[in-house]
Amino acid sequence: RLNSLGVPILCLHGNHERYILSSMDDHPGYRGANFNALRFNAALLSREEITLPQIHKINGITFCHAIPGDDRFPVYNPEQAIPKLLNMEFDQPKHIVCGHGHNPTNISLPNLTLQSIGSCGCMDDGVPGTAPFAIMTIQKGGAALQPYYAAYDTKKIKAEFIQSGLAAQCPIMAHIACIQMTTNTDVIVPF
């Protein structure tokens, strides 16, 4: 939408883009009722609109959804992420800036700095109405991320879900997403 308004934005491929592309391909793993939201979004998008680069590099910093090659890496859970990262080999110091985890995270290891900026509108901190984002300043010899929080009116979210048609097509997922966005609490739990 921003690109159509003349604002050049680089978007990167993440797990939800992969899910929607899988739905477009009628992958058997995405046929159940739980995936109606994917089919709803797939019908609104073209393959070209959702086929995005997986990584982008600027001045030695790698930008990606989670980590290169794994769009579901648990950046949101240092207890899971750190042991996995320690088992990975990096031939030179690496700086990765990503999203995927709902809350901002910073992991510093001997050969790796991993900074997750969080997920706009879907933090898990229980403070509704705040969407995190970050502005990165790149200077010779380093980079700095400055976190910011934009306020939004949670009272409008339910009406937006209804107006979009998502609530009619996939009421369960729309309800869960609406609760998450109005409470900033993750209500999806493993079985």
Side-chain angles (χ1 to χ4, degrees):
R1 178 170 234 169
L2 288 171
N3 281 323
S4 71
L5 297 172
V7 180
I9 298 293
L10 173 66
C11 295
L12 298 176
H13 172 94
N15 56 309
H16 285 273
E17 286 76 19
R18 182 168 48 81
Y19 300 158
I20 292 172
L21 287 167
S22 295
S23 177
M24 287 177 173
D25 292 338
D26 195 31
H27 186 282
Y30 295 93
R31 288 186 186 150
N34 290 350
F35 301 106
N36 284 345
L38 296 179
R39 289 188 288 279
F40 175 83
N41 285 300
L44 299 173
L45 298 164
S46 70
R47 182 172 291 282
E48 293 75 29
E49 289 174 305
I50 201 159
T51 301
L52 306 168
Q54 293 187 9
I55 64 169
H56 184 70
K57 293 185 179 186
I58 301 174
N59 292 357
I61 301 169
T62 300
F63 295 85
C64 55
H65 182 72
I67 65 168
D70 186 351
D71 62 25
R72 291 198 56 180
F73 190 84
V75 297
Y76 50 85
N77 185 340
E79 290 178 4
Q80 287 181 2
I82 290 173
K84 289 182 178 195
L85 291 168
L86 288 170
N87 285 326
M88 299 171 102
E89 292 185 24
F90 300 101
D91 55 355
Q92 58 186 1
K94 196 167 192 74
H95 186 175
I96 298 172
V97 176
C98 63
H100 188 56
H102 294 184
N103 298 317
T105 305
N106 185 67
I107 298 173
S108 293
L109 300 174
N111 231 14
L112 172 71
T113 298
L114 176 66
Q115 295 172 306
S116 172
I117 61 171
S119 175
C120 228
C122 198
M123 286 182 68
D124 295 334
D125 64 357
V127 180
T130 56
F133 65 97
I135 294 177
M136 175 173 269
T137 304
I138 301 174
Q139 298 175 349
K140 187 176 181 179
L145 273 178
Q146 175 66 47
Y148 292 91
Y149 295 86
Y152 64 91
D153 186 354
T154 59
K155 294 181 207 112
K156 295 180 180 181
I157 293 173
K158 182 177 178 181
E160 292 289 334
F161 272 89
I162 292 169
Q163 183 181 358
S164 74
L166 182 67
Q169 292 296 315
C170 35
I172 295 170
M173 285 308 295
H175 182 69
I176 290 169
C178 189
I179 290 171
Q180 287 189 184
M181 292 182 74
T182 55
T183 65
N184 268 6
T185 304
D186 194 347
V187 296
I188 297 178
V189 295
F191 288 98

